[in-house]
Every structure is written in structure tokens, then in C-alpha cells.
Amino acid sequence: MAVLSAKLASAALAFILVAASLGLIEAREAGIGIGIEIGARGKPRQREFDYFNLALQWPGTYCQRTRHCCSSNACCRGSNSPSVFTIHGLWPDYNDGTWPACCTRKHFDEKEISTLLDPLEKYWPSLSCGNPSSCHEKHGTCSAPVTGDEYNYFLTTLNVYFKYNVTKVLNEAGYVPSNTEKYPLGGIVSAIQNAFHATPKLACRNGAVEELHICFYKDFKPRDCVVGSSSSSDVLSSSNSCPNYISLPAYASLGAGNAESKISWVPDDVL
């Protein structure tokens, strides 16, 4: 009898393991301590993110990469080319420096955000002629536990962008676009800290600001992008691609002659 009970117990455990691997049950519910959740196709589910990272691009630096124009490239809009920080994405991140991606199989549907296309084309433009990012670089679907569906994700991002207006903060502090001036990195960081009570992160290219990141808790209250930062040296080391004095170059549009053309908005690295 004991032998039969042992065989039944062994068979039951085997069934639990097989069922978990096929996605019929979650391993943690089976009580066997595997420590991961098995998805519908037997793949581990990504855990929910820790915070939001609002990534902004400076067109004056980024558009210097442009070697040719296309209808989707906002760098080629002539007088309508962007002259403020624009949105690169609202990214869900983990505190350990990694991030989730492609959390659902949902595809981007422009019809769902048709009423938002005008501000998206202006404040969230593509600054290149490249193809849409691959699945591994798309983060928007992983924001769903907080932002909800596609429409609310884009609306939320626009609202956060407008509320925490980095361009306005820097201009009011005297940091304006210039092809001759150099500004102290510490001064730009301090201007953001004073306005939002949180520490940003910057990325530079050839001594010019290319990206600026503002981070938020899940309730969209600002938080430090540098986890555990407590000194100015921590803050500046988080922007280690930037020298001590940096520029905010003014951008002279390439003007491809298609500035007024109506194009379909293409999301850049979001879903």
C-alpha cells in the first residue's frame, strides 16, 4: 500500500510539472517552488515593472544624424521641424536597470488613437527614416497594468509630457538652444531637480544633449532616475556620456520640401 501511495504521489507531481510547462497552471500555484509563472505558450511571464521612464529627445542633436529625408522624418519638415524636447517613449523599467518588452501580442492600431494624431505628430515624432522597432525594443504594451489600453497609454504619456515641461524649465533657467554656448551639466541637472524634485538622467553625443530622462513612480509622481542617488557625484555619473559642459544645439532643418505633406504617424519604439 505504501509503495502504491508513493507511486501515485510521484505521478501527481509529474502531472503538475507537465501541466505547468504547458501553461495549464501556474508553477507557484502548484506549490513546488519553481519561482516563475508559466505563460500560455510555456514561456516565463515578465514581472510587473517598477517605475516609468519618460525618455525625451533633443532634435537639435538627434537630427544631425540625418543623411536623407523621407515623409516620416520630422527632421525634414522645414519650418515645422521640432524645436523642443520631443517624446521618445514612456518606458516601464525595473530598478535593477533592466526592462520588460513585448508583454502582449497586441499590434499597434492607429485608428484607436485617431483623435490624438495631431499632438502625437508634433510632440512624439519620428526623427529618422528607419523601420519601426522590433518586438524586443517595444515597451508600451508592458505599461498596461497602469495605463490600460493603447489610447490611454498615449494620452497618459502626452499629459505627463505637458505637465513636466522640460524645455520650459531649462529655458526659464537660461539654458536655451545655441550653436555657440556651452552649459554646465550640473546646472542643467539642478534646474530639473529644483522644478520636479527628482534627479534626471542625460545622454550626450559629441558633447551635446541627445536624450533627457525623467522618471516616475507608478502614480506619476517624480522620482530619481538614479536609484539610491545621494550626492552630486552620483547624479553626474549617471550621465557619464556627457562632459562637464554640454551644448543644446539649435537645429537648422534640412527642409526636404515635404513639410506640409500629410503622413501616417508611426510610433517610434513604444508598443
Side-chain angles (χ1 to χ4, degrees):
M1 188 68 179
V3 173
L4 178 60
S5 297
K7 287 183 177 181
L8 289 174
S10 177
L13 178 59
F15 170 77
I16 289 172
L17 291 170
V18 171
S21 68
L22 294 176
L24 300 177
I25 58 175
E26 292 184 357
R28 65 175 60 184
E29 291 179 357
I32 54 180
I34 292 177
I36 60 172
E37 294 182 26
I38 306 299
R41 294 183 178 270
K43 296 180 180 179
R45 294 174 182 165
Q46 300 177 85
R47 69 185 190 276
E48 188 172 326
F49 63 96
D50 295 317
Y51 68 97
F52 281 110
N53 178 348
L54 178 64
L56 306 174
Q57 299 176 124
W58 181 249
T61 304
Y62 198 93
C63 290
Q64 291 176 2
R65 299 182 185 183
T66 302
R67 294 295 177 264
H68 65 280
C69 284
C70 61
S71 61
S72 63
N73 189 345
C75 295
C76 305
R77 293 179 182 171
S79 60
N80 291 325
S81 294
S83 58
V84 298
F85 277 99
T86 60
I87 301 168
H88 190 186
L90 180 66
W91 302 337
D93 281 353
Y94 295 130
N95 286 326
D96 62 9
T98 61
W99 55 87
C102 298
C103 294
T104 74
R105 294 180 176 273
K106 180 176 173 59
H107 295 290
F108 171 72
D109 182 1
E110 185 178 295
K111 293 179 182 178
E112 293 190 19
I113 55 168
S114 58
T115 59
L116 300 176
L117 288 179
D118 285 346
L120 288 174
E121 288 176 358
K122 183 174 182 179
Y123 300 110
W124 198 334
S126 173
L127 300 182
S128 69
C129 294
N131 294 324
S133 302
S134 67
C135 179
H136 296 291
E137 299 172 314
K138 298 176 182 177
H139 312 293
T141 55
C142 301
S143 302
V146 175
T147 59
D149 60 18
E150 180 181 315
Y151 176 85
N152 283 314
Y153 169 76
F154 286 104
L155 179 63
T156 297
T157 304
L158 286 170
N159 286 338
V160 172
Y161 169 79
F162 292 135
K163 182 175 182 178
Y164 297 94
N165 190 327
V166 169
T167 304
K168 180 180 179 182
V169 167
L170 294 183
N171 287 351
E172 290 179 349
Y175 303 117
V176 297
S178 172
N179 290 324
T180 58
E181 292 291 329
K182 295 282 188 179
Y183 301 117
L185 172 61
I188 288 180
V189 170
S190 293
I192 301 295
Q193 288 176 321
N194 292 337
F196 304 148
H197 308 291
T199 301
K201 183 176 181 179
L202 284 77
C204 296
R205 184 180 180 87
N206 298 325
V209 175
E210 185 167 52
E211 289 199 354
L212 192 152
H213 299 254
I214 305 293
C215 298
F216 300 89
Y217 295 105
K218 293 182 188 179
D219 60 0
F220 291 102
K221 293 179 180 178
R223 55 156 280 174
D224 292 347
C225 286
V226 186
V227 178
S229 63
S230 59
S231 67
S232 60
S233 61
D234 291 334
V235 171
L236 297 182
S237 66
S238 73
S239 304
N240 55 17
S241 65
C242 300
N244 289 333
Y245 284 83
I246 56 181
S247 63
L248 281 171
Y251 175 62
S253 172
L254 298 179
N258 58 6
E260 303 301 326
S261 62
K262 185 68 174 177
I263 60 173
S264 177
W265 182 75
V266 179
D268 189 15
D269 193 29
V270 290
L271 289 176

